């Protein structure tokens, strides 16, 4: 039984976790949401490189997973090699789905919708140069959409006016027929995004590709452990005391949800 640690700044990694459960239901999952430091998309490379390797090392020492899934485009595009250098188990990162979008777009015009951090990364420029050199590519960064996805999973209404404003610049180009969801929070808003966008847009994310990669890495790892080491656990670091949000993690298959709050509040055990 392989044990995977899924990591994100908040609920976004649940979009990846769900794909992994579909492809590999037998994998034990632990989830850590770094709520305390969100939004990652507003942080510098240096801030993420300073925080994440040590945090992931500590989590791996404690939870003892066999592999780590960095279910966050922002962290993957900035700090993946630093995290890998710190850990002695496989670390699977998220790559914005620019290659599939380039192949899918009939008009050769597509957009990359990510956090402000992700869309300004050189890593993304390089993917565009490598896989979409003849395409027109709009880069659209949004932190508000991250907050709206958090709202949705915390049971708060999604502000559709705000959501529409965030994606409007993309559709100033009427040729855009494909949008890369380059933030793991965004597939959680797919119904709302589709409702606010022109009809017929292809929304492309990396969830399924990551799940396949996890499946193949899990097969390569020899784990002689017949049983899971515990329940699927979600650890919410600095989580605001929100039982509805905890419920959402349960709905995604996390049997135990533990919020680690700041000292002014008490921990919740949902
Ligand atoms: N879910 C994360 C991503 O894929 C980022 C959200 C944030 O800005 O914290 O980029």
């Amino acid at each position: 039984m392989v044990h995977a640690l899924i990591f994100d700044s908040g609920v976004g990694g649940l979009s990846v976790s769900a794909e992994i459960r579909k492809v590999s239901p037998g994998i034990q999952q632990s989830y850590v949401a770094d709520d305390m430091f969100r939004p990652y998309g507003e942080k510098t490379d240096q801030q993420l490189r300073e925080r994440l390797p040590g945090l992931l090392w500590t989590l791996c020492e404690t939870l003892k997973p066999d592999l780590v899934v960095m279910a966050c485009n922002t962290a993957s595009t900035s700090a993946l090699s630093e995290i890998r250098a710190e850990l002695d188990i496989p670390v699977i990162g998220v790559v914005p789905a620019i290659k599939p979008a380039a192949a899918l777009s009939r008009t050769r015009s597509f957009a990359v919708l990510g956090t402000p951090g992700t869309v300004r990364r050189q890593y993304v420029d390089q993917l565009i140069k490598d896989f979409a050199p003849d395409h027109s590519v709009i880069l659209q960064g949004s932190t508000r959409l991250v907050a709206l996805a958090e709202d949705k999973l915390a049971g708060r209404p999604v502000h559709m006016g705000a959501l529409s404003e965030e994606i409007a610049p993309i559709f100033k180009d009427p040729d855009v027929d494909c949008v890369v969801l380059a933030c793991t929070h965004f597939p959680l808003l797919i119904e709302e995004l589709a409702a606010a966008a022109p009809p017929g847009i292809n929304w492309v994310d990396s969830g399924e590709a990551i799940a396949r990669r996890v499946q193949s890495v899990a097969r390569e790892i020899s784990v002689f452990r017949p049983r899971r080491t515990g329940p699927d656990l979600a650890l919410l670091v600095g989580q605001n005391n929100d039982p509805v949000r905890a419920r959402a993690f349960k709905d995604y298959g996390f049997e135990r949800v533990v919020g680690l709050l700041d000292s002014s509040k008490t921990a919740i055990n949902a």
Side-chain angles (χ1 to χ4, degrees), residues 20 93 145 151 214:
I20 296 171
L145 288 177
D151 281 347
V214 169

Side-chain angles (χ1 to χ4, degrees), residues 162-183:
L163 181 138
S164 298
E165 266 175 35
E166 295 302 291
I167 61 171
I170 293 174
F171 301 109
K172 281 191 187 145
D173 177 351
D175 285 342
V176 167
D177 64 351
C178 224
V179 178
V180 177
L181 298 178
C183 169

Side-chain angles (χ1 to χ4, degrees), residues 60-256:
C60 289
E61 285 294 304
T62 316
L63 297 168
K64 307 245 178 271
D66 305 301
L67 62 93
V68 171
V69 181
M70 287 304 294
C72 174
N73 290 262
T74 314
S76 298
T77 54
S78 68
L80 202 58
S81 35
E82 287 78 3
I83 294 165
R84 283 191 171 133
E86 200 66 29
L87 305 180
D88 56 6
I89 55 174
V91 181
I92 296 158
V94 184
V95 178
I98 287 168
K99 189 180 176 187
L104 205 64
S105 172
R106 293 182 176 195
T107 56
R108 295 183 161 259
S109 291
F110 67 90
V112 179
L113 181 61
T115 65
T118 297
V119 299
R120 66 165 180 259
R121 296 255 144 76
Q122 217 201 322
Y123 184 86
V124 167
D125 283 343
Q126 195 56 50
L127 286 174
I128 294 169
K129 277 190 194 117
D130 290 346
F131 300 114
D134 305 323
H135 292 64
S136 146
V137 184
I138 295 171
L139 296 173
Q140 178 68 9
S142 172
T143 299
R144 221 163 161 200
L145 288 177
V146 174
L148 293 178
E150 291 287 338
D151 281 347
K152 182 175 176 179
L153 270 77
R156 294 185 289 270
V158 175
H159 190 313
M160 286 302 284
L163 181 138
S164 298
E165 266 175 35
E166 295 302 291
I167 61 171
I170 293 174
F171 301 109
K172 281 191 187 145
D173 177 351
D175 285 342
V176 167
D177 64 351
C178 224
V179 178
V180 177
L181 298 178
C183 169
T184 53
H185 277 74
F186 299 169
L188 302 171
L189 292 171
I190 189 64
E191 294 90 3
E192 291 81 359
L193 289 167
I201 299 293
N202 270 313
W203 304 89
V204 194
D205 71 71
S206 333
E208 199 188 324
I210 299 157
R212 299 266 166 229
R213 178 82 195 119
V214 169
Q215 181 185 44
S216 100
V217 172
R219 279 186 185 142
E220 283 163 22
I221 302 173
S222 310
V223 181
F224 301 106
R225 197 185 307 120
R227 263 172 241 106
R228 43 186 61 228
T229 54
D232 280 14
L233 164 77
L235 203 56
L236 315 179
V237 182
Q239 132 75 320
N240 46 355
N241 198 346
D242 185 345
V244 182
R245 191 172 185 260
R247 184 74 246 167
F249 279 89
K250 288 203 160 184
D251 292 343
Y252 274 83
F254 292 92
E255 297 146 299
R256 195 76 202 264

